[in-house]
Amino acid sequence: MSDRQAAANAMFDFITESSRAQDRDEVLTCLEKASAAFGMECFAISGIPLPNERIDPYFMLNAWPDGWFERYVQENYVHVDPVIYRTKMSNEAFVWSEALAGKPVSRAAKRVMNEATEFGMMDGYSVPLHSVGGFQAIVTYGARKVDLSHEQRGALHIISIYAHNRLRAFMTENGDRSAEAAAKVSPREREVILWCSAGKTNWEIGQILGISEKTVQHEIASASRKLNCVNRAQLIAESIRLGLIR
């Protein structure tokens, strides 16, 4: 089986199983299985606090090694963590060792990363989440070694967004608003999102549907506004969660 097919299978298995989850514990179980399929050994999902706030109330799901969560919270590392800083600055998912290579890092930031290795988190993969309303969050994975293909990174990116959306659905009464937003997505926008999920570029989608690349961009932007998404991966994950595409 190719990397692409294996990654796609793991992604859709997670989506299928987590869509049936009744609570956060069941989402955690689903994500443990999915993250292990990509060689990830631990993970956490959290909102990102403001500079004067602590991270404790923002944690949504914690599967970090025993002891690391307590130390991270006690020392208030969130405000010196270079992974969090990188998350605030970009929408792109990243491997820690790649994103931080060659970058100037403060003594406090080095301390966070060095102490993480004591718990087996020598490297990791993190997915930033930003809403158009300004909310920031992160889905972050740790492992002794990260070796993800392009296809695996894309699949884990979508898995992360979907997991976060499932948790927020449990924590907030937004079901009616989501359904209302989904109803506003046009059939053409759904069609474009479907081809996006198949990995097609805007140009390729235009050729398939017989429309211009600019029109494809417009359809993606319109659907993103309706579903409160800020990038392509988030749009795909949210569309799957709402049943707009399968």
Side-chain angles (χ1 to χ4, degrees), residues 31-44 62-66 96 116-117 119-125 140-148 156:
L31 192 53
E32 282 179 337
K33 179 181 176 182
S35 60
F38 293 94
M40 302 294 108
E41 299 166 17
C42 58
F43 58 86
N62 172 33
W64 271 350
D66 292 341
W96 302 351
T117 65
F119 295 87
M121 300 168 69
M122 282 71 172
D123 204 353
Y125 180 71
T140 191
Y141 303 86
R144 295 183 183 278
K145 181 180 180 180
V146 174
D147 183 17
L148 297 170
L156 193 54

Side-chain angles (χ1 to χ4, degrees), residues 32-237:
E32 282 179 337
K33 179 181 176 182
S35 60
F38 293 94
M40 302 294 108
E41 299 166 17
C42 58
F43 58 86
I45 301 179
S46 177
I48 296 177
L50 296 174
N52 61 334
E53 297 178 322
R54 296 185 62 84
I55 197 172
D56 319 31
Y58 285 86
F59 259 91
M60 302 170 71
L61 205 63
N62 172 33
W64 271 350
D66 292 341
W68 177 237
F69 172 77
E70 288 79 6
R71 183 184 299 186
Y72 193 93
V73 170
Q74 180 179 345
E75 299 294 333
N76 205 26
Y77 279 158
V78 64
H79 297 303
V80 293
D81 186 344
V83 172
I84 295 294
Y85 179 80
R86 174 70 170 72
T87 297
K88 291 179 178 180
M89 298 296 106
S90 174
N91 289 326
E92 299 298 323
F94 59 95
V95 174
W96 302 351
S97 57
E98 296 174 358
L100 302 179
K103 299 289 192 300
V105 179
S106 69
R107 181 177 299 178
K110 287 180 181 177
R111 177 184 174 189
V112 175
M113 301 307 290
N114 288 339
E115 290 188 12
T117 65
E118 297 175 18
F119 295 87
M121 300 168 69
M122 282 71 172
D123 204 353
Y125 180 71
S126 293
V127 177
L129 301 169
H130 303 276
S131 76
V132 293
F135 176 79
Q136 294 181 312
I138 182 173
V139 182
T140 191
Y141 303 86
R144 295 183 183 278
K145 181 180 180 180
V146 174
D147 183 17
L148 297 170
S149 67
H150 176 75
E151 290 77 14
Q152 289 172 324
R153 294 184 191 206
L156 193 54
H157 192 169
I158 292 176
I159 285 171
S160 302
I161 296 170
Y162 192 90
H164 177 260
N165 289 346
R166 287 293 290 151
L167 291 173
R168 291 200 74 184
F170 287 131
M171 298 172 69
T172 60
E173 296 298 326
N174 63 355
D176 291 341
R177 292 196 299 273
S178 293
E180 183 180 349
K184 294 178 180 179
V185 176
S186 71
R188 174 47 62 87
E189 288 168 348
R190 294 188 189 198
E191 199 171 15
V192 168
I193 297 168
L194 179 62
W195 285 113
C196 286
S197 71
K200 302 299 182 183
T201 66
N202 289 355
W203 181 85
E204 290 171 331
I205 295 171
Q207 294 298 303
I208 292 168
L209 300 180
I211 57 179
S212 70
E213 187 174 356
K214 186 174 182 179
T215 299
V216 173
Q217 293 171 346
H218 172 78
E219 299 289 355
I220 293 173
S222 176
S224 295
R225 285 194 300 271
K226 293 173 182 177
L227 298 183
N228 194 30
C229 298
V230 297
N231 58 43
R232 201 183 192 97
Q234 188 177 9
L235 177 62
I236 294 168

